[in-house]
Structures are given as structure tokens and as C-alpha cells.
Amino acid sequence: MTISADRGKNKASAHSFDMMRKFAERYAKRTGTYFCIDPTVTNAVIEGLAKHKDELGAPLCPCRYYEDKEAEVKASYWNCPCVPMQERKECHCMLFLTKDNPFVGDKQELEIVDVSYDD
């Protein structure tokens, strides 16, 4: 199923967004993690991962600052799922949360919401 909702301007391609959505849902279910209780957080992170997939060829963590994004992609440490997530279930982006996280929701499927802000 392709998500056809209008996600606004300056967004990732619909194909990359849908791929990252499917990945996130499968990964959450496989690891027993859940999305944030605030669906705008989940949508923004998946959008950022998809945009990096479009621009860099890999889903580089969108919640960090990088001096050189291409070098970070090659190093693969911060490519989702990042090493801290794989090793310790620590997700800096708050995409994959464990039950003991105060911001954890009860969903492992994306609820698409608008994360655009009007000036």
C-alpha cells in the first residue's frame, strides 16, 4: 500500500517515504519497540530518514548534526537502525522506543499526520 497523503513541500519522494514507513513498522514489531506517543515525532523522523535516502542513498539518522553526511553514510554507524539502536535499543530520534520510555506510545504502525508548520 502506498501512502498518497500530501505531506507538504520539501519532503522525500513518496516511494522513499513509503519504504521507510514499511521498514520502521517491521523493525518496531521485530524488536518489540513502539513509536512515540506523539505521532508528529514519528512522522518527522520517517520523513527525515526518507529524505536522506533520496539525497544520500542511505537512511542516515536525521536527528544529528554531521560535518560530512556522505562520510557518515559510508561509516554506517548512524544509518538507521544505528549502532546504538541495534546494540542497546537506544534510539536518539525517538522512533523506536522501549516500554520503559516515558514518551512511548502503543503503536507499531504509522499514523500519518501533518508535520508542516505555517509561518
Side-chain angles (χ1 to χ4, degrees), residues 57-91:
L60 186 65
C61 172
C63 302
R64 304 186 71 78
Y65 172 76
Y66 307 98
E67 291 281 332
D68 182 344
K69 288 182 180 181
E70 289 81 9
E72 292 293 342
V73 165
K74 288 179 186 171
S76 75
Y77 187 88
W78 292 114
N79 293 345
C80 190
C82 66
V83 171
M85 180 60 205
Q86 292 175 47
E87 292 180 352
R88 299 179 300 279
K89 288 191 179 180
E90 293 175 2
C91 182

Side-chain angles (χ1 to χ4, degrees), residues 18 25 29 35:
D18 197 43
E25 290 173 348
K29 289 172 185 170
F35 297 146

Side-chain angles (χ1 to χ4, degrees), residues 10-82:
N10 195 30
K11 303 291 181 170
S13 69
H15 175 74
S16 289
F17 184 85
D18 197 43
M19 281 180 33
M20 291 313 308
R21 175 190 62 81
K22 288 176 183 176
F23 156 76
E25 290 173 348
R26 282 190 313 268
Y27 192 79
K29 289 172 185 170
R30 192 176 87 225
T31 60
T33 56
Y34 295 85
F35 297 146
C36 183
I37 195 164
D38 180 349
T40 62
V41 170
T42 306
N43 277 263
V45 173
I46 291 175
E47 190 72 59
L49 290 168
K51 190 140 173 84
H52 279 160
K53 181 84 170 143
D54 284 342
E55 294 171 351
L56 304 167
L60 186 65
C61 172
C63 302
R64 304 186 71 78
Y65 172 76
Y66 307 98
E67 291 281 332
D68 182 344
K69 288 182 180 181
E70 289 81 9
E72 292 293 342
V73 165
K74 288 179 186 171
S76 75
Y77 187 88
W78 292 114
N79 293 345
C80 190
C82 66

